[in-house]
Amino acid sequence: MTNETMNIREMCDTFGVTPRTLRFYETKELLFPIREGQKRLFTRRDRARLKLILRGKRFGFSLEDIRQLLDLYHMNDGQEAQLSRSYELAKSHLADMEAQKAELEDAIAEMKEQMAWGENRLAELARKKGAAA
Amino acid sequence: MTNETMNIREMCDTFGVTPRTLRFYETKELLFPIREGQKRLFTRRDRARLKLILRGKRFGFSLEDIRQLLDLYHMNDGQEAQLSRSYELAKSHLADMEAQKAELEDAIAEMKEQMAWGENRLAELARKKGAAA
DNA sequence: AGCAAAGCTGACGTTAACGTAAACGTAACG
DNA sequence: CGTTACGTTTACGTTAACGTCAGCTTTGCT
């Protein structure tokens, strides 16, 4: 079975981050590794959270945004008010993400167009060079 | 017809940015407004570039990345080496964007799942409250 | 016991992308 | 002709997200 806990080095290797990053995320209350003496032990929960954190970052969410969203993913026994707040927050982020997706599709299409133009220009230049030889 | 040039205020209002931002982009060679005396006049080209800049930012590209990409969009008479470099750069960014899109779709699906779970919890809580009344 | 590797806690440094404030030019308006 | 509004340059300030370094335990190995 997947080890119950990981030390800081295993975490770093697994997720491609530095120790500093993990400690930083802890101070920001994004991760809650348990302690064995002084040393941090990262649980399955921490790994799940870190995965979501890194994903969130790729979409341009701030760590603070992410921290609040993680509440939705890891709320087992939240109060109604809290749960409802997280839910609204998630709704707004979902809207963001869907807007981002639409724009991304546009951008991809445009980029492809530009690249096609570039290809033509390059082909043209190649033809000229070939003719000159 | 759409005015040939815009002053700084019109630009800010149109794009929702501050004057500082536009001046900053100019120092970074992302925009090249012409001058009427001291004052900046932004051309159609500047507007097109700014639109792409803001879009790029939404996808998490750095201003420096964006500056280089703009070369592809505004290269009329580039040399082959330069054009080819821009083309490769664009290709890599396109790959990034398509990867991002795939991940985004995943994330959206996951988020929806979590929200569905949240909805159930909220409905459950509402039922309990209703029963208690 | 000795010593290096791995971790820890501050604390200060860094980069990107602007914000903000001071000090000045100039152009229209009453 | 004063002042109000808009624009400019120069320069220092700010925030997020870590990097880096110093100095101190703890752990494993020999």
Side-chain angles (χ1 to χ4, degrees):
Chain A
M1 285 137 223
T2 158
N3 266 338
E4 189 53 33
T5 70
M6 286 171 82
N7 67 23
I8 203 167
R9 185 101 304 275
E10 294 168 335
M11 283 293 278
C12 293
D13 294 348
T14 306
F15 292 97
V17 298
T18 70
R20 177 65 173 98
T21 299
L22 295 177
R23 295 186 195 115
F24 178 70
Y25 288 172
E26 187 182 358
T27 73
K28 293 286 170 173
E29 307 190 54
L30 289 161
L31 298 178
F32 306 96
I34 56 181
R35 297 302 179 106
E36 181 184 63
Q38 270 212 327
K39 305 194 169 165
R40 292 167 173 81
L41 289 181
F42 296 85
T43 67
R44 216 173 47 264
R45 183 171 54 91
D46 291 314
R47 295 195 290 271
R49 292 175 73 96
L50 182 52
K51 203 171 146 192
L52 291 170
I53 292 166
L54 297 177
R55 163 180 285 176
K57 288 200 55 185
R58 260 169 270 136
F59 301 146
F61 294 135
S62 76
L63 292 181
E64 177 54 22
D65 284 348
I66 294 170
R67 194 184 63 72
Q68 304 201 40
L69 280 177
L70 284 173
D71 290 351
L72 178 65
Y73 281 86
H74 288 269
M75 187 140 38
N76 307 317
D77 53 349
Q79 293 300 354
E80 176 168 8
Q82 164 68 4
L83 175 54
S84 161
R85 213 170 46 72
S86 287
Y87 181 77
E88 289 307 317
L89 218 147
K91 220 164 74 176
S92 134
H93 277 275
L94 178 59
D96 279 9
M97 285 167 60
E98 289 188 318
Q100 204 175 338
K101 184 185 158 194
E103 247 201 290
L104 194 46
E105 278 162 357
D106 274 21
I108 287 176
E110 271 188 42
M111 179 85 90
K112 280 183 177 167
E113 246 181 83
Q114 286 301 321
M115 289 179 65
W117 174 85
E119 274 166 24
N120 285 343
R121 294 278 304 158
L122 282 170
E124 209 175 307
L125 288 172
R127 253 206 322 282
K128 277 188 195 159
K129 262 204 346 202
Chain B
M1 287 133 228
T2 158
N3 266 336
E4 190 52 33
T5 69
M6 289 170 82
N7 67 22
I8 204 167
R9 185 100 306 274
E10 294 167 335
M11 283 293 278
C12 292
D13 294 349
T14 306
F15 292 98
V17 298
T18 71
R20 177 67 174 96
T21 299
L22 295 177
R23 295 186 195 115
F24 179 69
Y25 288 172
E26 187 183 358
T27 73
K28 293 286 169 174
E29 306 190 56
L30 289 160
L31 298 177
F32 306 95
I34 56 181
R35 297 301 180 107
E36 180 184 62
Q38 269 213 326
K39 305 192 170 167
R40 291 167 173 82
L41 290 182
F42 297 85
T43 67
R44 217 174 47 263
R45 183 171 56 91
D46 290 315
R47 295 194 291 271
R49 292 175 71 96
L50 182 52
K51 203 172 146 192
L52 291 170
I53 292 167
L54 297 177
R55 163 180 284 176
K57 288 201 56 185
R58 260 168 270 136
F59 301 146
F61 293 136
S62 76
L63 292 182
E64 177 54 22
D65 284 348
I66 294 171
R67 194 183 62 73
Q68 304 201 39
L69 279 177
L70 284 173
D71 290 351
L72 177 66
Y73 282 84
H74 288 268
M75 188 139 39
N76 307 316
D77 53 349
Q79 292 301 352
E80 176 168 8
Q82 164 69 4
L83 176 53
S84 161
R85 213 170 45 72
S86 288
Y87 181 77
E88 289 308 316
L89 218 147
K91 220 164 74 176
S92 135
H93 277 275
L94 179 59
D96 278 11
M97 286 167 59
E98 290 188 317
Q100 204 175 336
K101 184 185 157 194
E103 248 201 289
L104 194 47
E105 278 162 358
D106 274 22
I108 287 176
E110 271 187 42
M111 178 86 89
K112 280 183 177 167
E113 248 182 82
Q114 286 300 322
M115 289 179 66
W117 175 84
E119 273 166 26
N120 285 343
R121 293 279 304 159
L122 281 170
E124 210 176 307
L125 288 172
R127 253 207 322 283
K128 277 188 195 159
K129 261 200 356 198

